[in-house]
Amino acid sequence: MPTEAGIIGLLLLQLVGMSASATDPPHPMLYFDYDSVATLRSKAINSHSRIADKITGAVKLMKENKADYLPPESVSDFKGSVNEVYGDNLCMLAMYCLLFPKDREALKMAHVYMDTLAGYSSWEVAAMPHDEMPISHTLVGLATAYDFLYNTLKVEQRKKVFMRIRLSTHRYFERFKISGWGRNHIQTETFTNCVALLIGALVVRSHDQRASQWVELTATHLNVSMTLLSMIVDGSLSQGVSYSTYTALSVFTFTFLANRHLGLDYYSHVWLTEYFWFLYGTTLPGYRECAGIADSTAVWLYGPEAHLVFLDSYVIKMGYANWLAEKVSRARKDHGILKPSYYRQWSTYHLEFIWYSEEILPQAPSVDSSLMLYSDWGVTTYGGGATAGHTFLTFKSGVLSGQALHMIVRKGLFNSVVDGWGSFNPQHDHPDQLSFTFWPRGEPFITDAYYGPKLTVLNNALLFGPSAQAKCNGLFEGQVGECYQSFNWNEAGVLDSTAHLVASYEEMDTVFMSGEAVSSYSKHMGLSSVYRSVFLLTPDVLLVVDHVMLNPHSTTTHLSAIFNMREGLLQLKWGVAQLFNKGKHYYVEWCVDDFKKQQNSSVLIGGFEFPCEHKTRETQFVNVTVPVTTDTPTRVAYLFYRDGSIVSPPRFTASGKHGVNVTTTIDSIQYNVSIATEHDDPEARFKWLGFPGYGSMATTSGKWIWYGFEEYEPAYLLVHKEIITNLFNVLFLLVSLLTATLLVLSKSSWSHPVNQWVANNLHVMVTIVASLFSILFMTFIFLQPQVVSPYASYSHYSLPHIFVSSLKFTGSEIVTGMFDRSPDFLHVKIPSIVVRYPEVEHMFGRFIDPCVWNENDMDKNTMMSGWLSSIYHNPLSHFSRLESNRSVVVKEFLVAVKRRPNARLVMATVDGTWNLKLPWAAKAIGSSARVIYIIRDPRPWVAALLKSKEYKNVIEDLQYTYKHSTCVIQNQYGSLYDPVWNELNHITTGESWMEAYLKLLAYVWYADTASAIINNANMSLDSYLVMRFEDLILEPENTIRSVFEFVSMPVPPLAQHYLLQVTRSNQFKLPTGEQIGRQNLEWWQDYLSAEQIRTIEEICQPVMDMVGYERVQYQ
């Protein structure tokens, strides 16, 4: 390796002779070329003037305070503190000088700035010699300024600055090969340092092609990171919102530079397309702050205006991001205290100017709900992106670093480039499972602790004690990984933590969130369930219910709940915590479901300071401590509310094995909340709630909510309420008039003829009035809302048994994968080592089976029907015969059956042999049957079989079928052997057709799909669902809702995340090798010729029309 002196000498030789008259590589070139400069200058005084004004204001301040903003002359002073600000500010200053070249004072300052940085012997911070991040900022600043201001530099200045850029980039490349950030992925250090290396290398390459190696290797590493990042399909980063903007800034910069210089297009990358929604849903009402989950501050570390304009210009192009950028900028102008810190306040101005597109007009996002679910992160928010005065709520329950990275590590995916958790270093995670924040009407109440030490007490979560292994909370122990400045992800148990969201729903202006986090606590504490439910009852009132269960031998005796409040004056009066802040009072009340535990509980308030971000931060808290026992579960309800409503304390009205009921009264309206605490048992949930959801609510104002299901009011109210209301009004008017008339007449003379008539018919009048009063009273009672079980009319409802069928290679494994991600279901293939056919006369075909079984054929297949019924209705008994089987698969399945005896069975066929037997299967299973039939466009299906060579196996299977299938041999069911198969039989036995694989496969699809659709046509819509594979890919969220609505079960967040990951990441494939993704749905049009496509369409057209597949239109 050449010495540093040798490198410098080599550089001097290369740079000798560089003069103004030489034909130099054109600059600028990083973000735009020289020909674009005039356009940029024009935009600075027109379409981009708002951003240009921010840049101008910043430079004005720099010129007025040069001593504060120019880098110090002494390198020791430069290295004596955090120095990232110098590189960041230089980018903005250089952009200003490019846009406004007549400002000679600013240009001179920029030259001095660059000369000073280039003259330093090193750029790291002395106290952090192994931290390369400060070097990255300086390298990016100097390289960017060199690129922008190249044509203003004298020859000697160019030489000096370029030499330093090349030397620093070379050094950085050597560090890249040995440093952790050169091996790791999806962390701030990796993206920041690698993008700095890329920028330096691109600038150097414009003069020295030997730097191409630096560019290529850096880009290759970043490409791997982008591939891994595509697995995070919700746009989140587990390090937190504000810290994510640090990482995202480098991701966006790389995306732009890779497209401009390397021809790589990441603009449709799923993480980029979703990052806007991550920012939107975590922006507090009023656009002043962001959610403080994990390592976050009250504001974004970088941007987010630059991030947002980038997204609108190159990724989403809908105006949503420009709209949010304007909102944030305006809020910052109105609330100056919430500007970015001194170190970062101007760091993204140049990129905001470059990336902004005036052609994309700001437009408010069109959203159906204020609830946002980040299924990878394990976070759900309510009220994000709303105007000031809207309530904001967050709840978190997720795995270390999010679902995607957790799965990559645990399953060993991408193992050629991923070395376990060491490739990700999740030090910015927090012990914050089941944490929540509450901002009623947009004002802070229950708040985050923000960036700081990793302590459970700072995250509004639960602790347990006493614990001999407690390290930082006295006798109490929090979640694994806590007690350090960085999250201790190497601690035992951290990697096994599988906390997850259970529910996330918004219904009728209320919100229900819940999560399970028992695995986030050390096993020695003996916890078997730690389940928290959060209900936003009104914008001012939040109900939180904790459910804790212990193992029989647990030594844990108490739980301790902590709720942090960063602002206001906190007091404790008469057992109620009261917070006074900004002229408003906020209250915390609580109760326990057990009177004895309530008597032995305690509440206290306190506060402390903790170090963070080179300073200290304060928090104050309410601490509720409750006894827990091994014999019964412990349930604690907390009520958080503010001035403006009359609220009664919470109380438990029922507490049983399967759940609890909690009630409170708000402004004379009683709210009754029901929670199924055995959340992973659908039968237990059904017993407690009357439906298989996770929670419900009823109020005396007439509101019934089944969370996760459709809104409900009793049928008689829905049909007759308007009529009854009108009748009530009419009766009230009549009674009032008659009563008034009688009162008047009773005081007047009876000599008048009218009065005489009234006197003669007085008893009739009294009877009429009394009857009307009775009717009026009964009508009033009838109209009063009663708190009843919303599922009262579904007393005969039974939990579903699911049967999935399709042709092979149709994508059914994606559907069954959704059910696999929920503890409510057990999935098994048929036939398989777990489920074997009984020995009966019928011989199934392979791949397909043309024998039609209808519901009228039950008496002909009694053994098969008994076999199928036994599997679904008595799985424990049925599968017990497998006890002697030593297969790992069988053993794991038996363990699952015993552990989850009430899980609903999902039986999925491995091929198309059951497609024509679905009516029979539904009747054999019973009224609880839910049959899902999956179809796929015949053109990609045929193309996939041809491309993967699977057609050879299909030929063999068809030949087997026509030799062994019972109804083919005996035709024992007469007309039930669909005649369409006769033609296919002729095709498969004729030698002239053996080479015509494409036609054969098209006929297979046509015959099987046509027969299935026709023969299944009479099945009830309640028990039969036809699903297109393409809908799964194009509309995954709508499709999963449709599927789970069909089976009458709630959509689990984990199942939704699985489907989004499979369909959006472009990292999953079908068994035939096709990549799954919406951009890959049309791949067959390139693989097949136009003639081949027309052939398939001619054969399959009748059925294609039935299921909505359109023909290709050729010019």
Side-chain angles (χ1 to χ4, degrees), residues 409-481:
V409 173
R410 289 183 66 90
K411 293 189 176 182
L413 305 180
F414 304 98
N415 55 16
S416 62
V417 293
V418 172
D419 182 21
W421 281 113
S423 292
F424 303 114
N425 190 16
Q427 60 181 338
H428 295 291
D429 280 64
H430 278 226
D432 59 357
Q433 311 320 321
L434 305 185
S435 66
F436 71 97
T437 66
F438 179 39
W439 296 60
R441 307 290 180 177
E443 296 298 332
F445 184 7
I446 307 301
T447 57
D448 296 290
Y450 299 128
Y451 198 132
K454 309 306 181 281
L455 299 173
T456 305
V457 296
L458 293 177
N459 286 288
N460 306 321
L462 294 172
L463 298 91
F464 297 91
S467 171
Q469 298 184 25
K471 297 187 290 289
C472 54
N473 303 296
L475 296 177
F476 283 83
E477 184 175 346
Q479 297 177 7
V480 292

Side-chain angles (χ1 to χ4, degrees), residues 12 17 80 266 534 675 925:
L12 290 173
Y266 294 106
V534 176
I675 305 167
I925 296 169

Side-chain angles (χ1 to χ4, degrees), residues 635-656:
R635 281 76 175 256
V636 188
Y638 320 88
L639 200 65
F640 306 86
Y641 60 97
R642 75 168 208 161
D643 285 342
S645 297
I646 301 175
V647 183
S648 70
R651 62 186 178 89
F652 287 91
T653 56
S655 182

Side-chain angles (χ1 to χ4, degrees), residues 30-32 55 58-59 62 69 84-99 110 113-114 117 136-149 199 249 253 302 346-354:
L30 273 175
Y31 298 95
F32 47 83
I55 297 174
V59 173
M62 290 182 71
Y69 291 101
E84 298 169 1
V85 63
Y86 296 110
D88 291 345
N89 287 351
L90 180 55
C91 292
M92 181 274 302
L93 177 59
M95 189 76 214
Y96 172 84
C97 294
L98 182 77
L99 296 175
Y113 207 129
M114 296 169 66
L117 291 181
S136 291
H137 288 260
T138 305
L139 176 58
V140 169
L142 190 59
T144 302
Y146 177 82
D147 182 62
F148 288 0
L149 303 181
I199 288 175
L249 182 64
T253 302
Y302 289 89
W346 304 329
S347 58
T348 60
Y349 281 5
H350 67 295
L351 294 175
E352 183 182 357
F353 187 94
I354 293 168

Side-chain angles (χ1 to χ4, degrees), residues 645-829:
S645 297
I646 301 175
V647 183
S648 70
R651 62 186 178 89
F652 287 91
T653 56
S655 182
K657 176 183 178 182
H658 303 313
V660 295
N661 294 346
V662 184
T663 186
T664 186
T665 300
I666 306 171
D667 295 331
S668 302
I669 299 174
Q670 183 176 323
Y671 288 75
N672 298 275
V673 172
S674 294
I675 305 167
T677 53
E678 289 188 292
H679 55 84
D680 57 355
D681 186 334
E683 190 167 306
R685 301 200 308 265
F686 185 84
K687 288 179 180 178
W688 187 259
L689 299 172
F691 73 107
Y694 302 105
S696 64
M697 184 174 69
T699 72
T700 52
S701 65
K703 185 180 291 185
W704 286 269
I705 302 174
W706 316 338
Y707 289 103
F709 290 74
E710 292 183 0
E711 298 173 8
Y712 172 85
E713 282 189 279
Y716 64 83
L717 284 184
L718 288 175
V719 176
H720 304 298
K721 177 175 276 190
E722 183 175 355
I723 297 174
I724 295 171
T725 301
N726 292 334
L727 176 62
F728 180 92
N729 294 331
V730 172
L731 290 176
F732 183 83
L733 180 62
L734 287 174
V735 169
S736 300
L737 289 173
L738 286 172
T739 302
T741 301
L742 288 176
L743 288 173
V744 171
L745 292 176
S746 66
K747 295 181 179 179
S748 61
S749 172
W750 288 96
S751 60
H752 193 277
V754 175
N755 291 352
Q756 191 65 42
W757 182 88
V758 172
N760 295 335
N761 296 277
L762 184 61
H763 67 285
V764 177
M765 300 287 289
V766 171
T767 301
I768 292 174
V769 172
S771 299
L772 290 176
F773 263 116
S774 298
I775 296 172
L776 186 64
F777 177 77
M778 294 303 295
T779 303
F780 177 78
I781 295 298
F782 185 76
L783 279 173
Q784 293 306 298
Q786 304 297 315
V787 179
V788 297
S789 170
Y791 263 85
S793 60
Y794 286 81
S795 57
H796 300 295
Y797 173 87
S798 57
L799 294 171
H801 294 103
I802 302 167
F803 192 95
V804 180
S805 185
S806 69
L807 273 174
K808 199 172 183 179
F809 309 121
T810 303
S812 62
E813 55 276 349
I814 299 178
V815 177
T816 55
M818 295 189 305
F819 294 117
D820 280 338
R821 269 62 184 181
S822 169
D824 289 349
F825 302 99
L826 280 174
H827 163 228
V828 62
K829 296 179 180 179

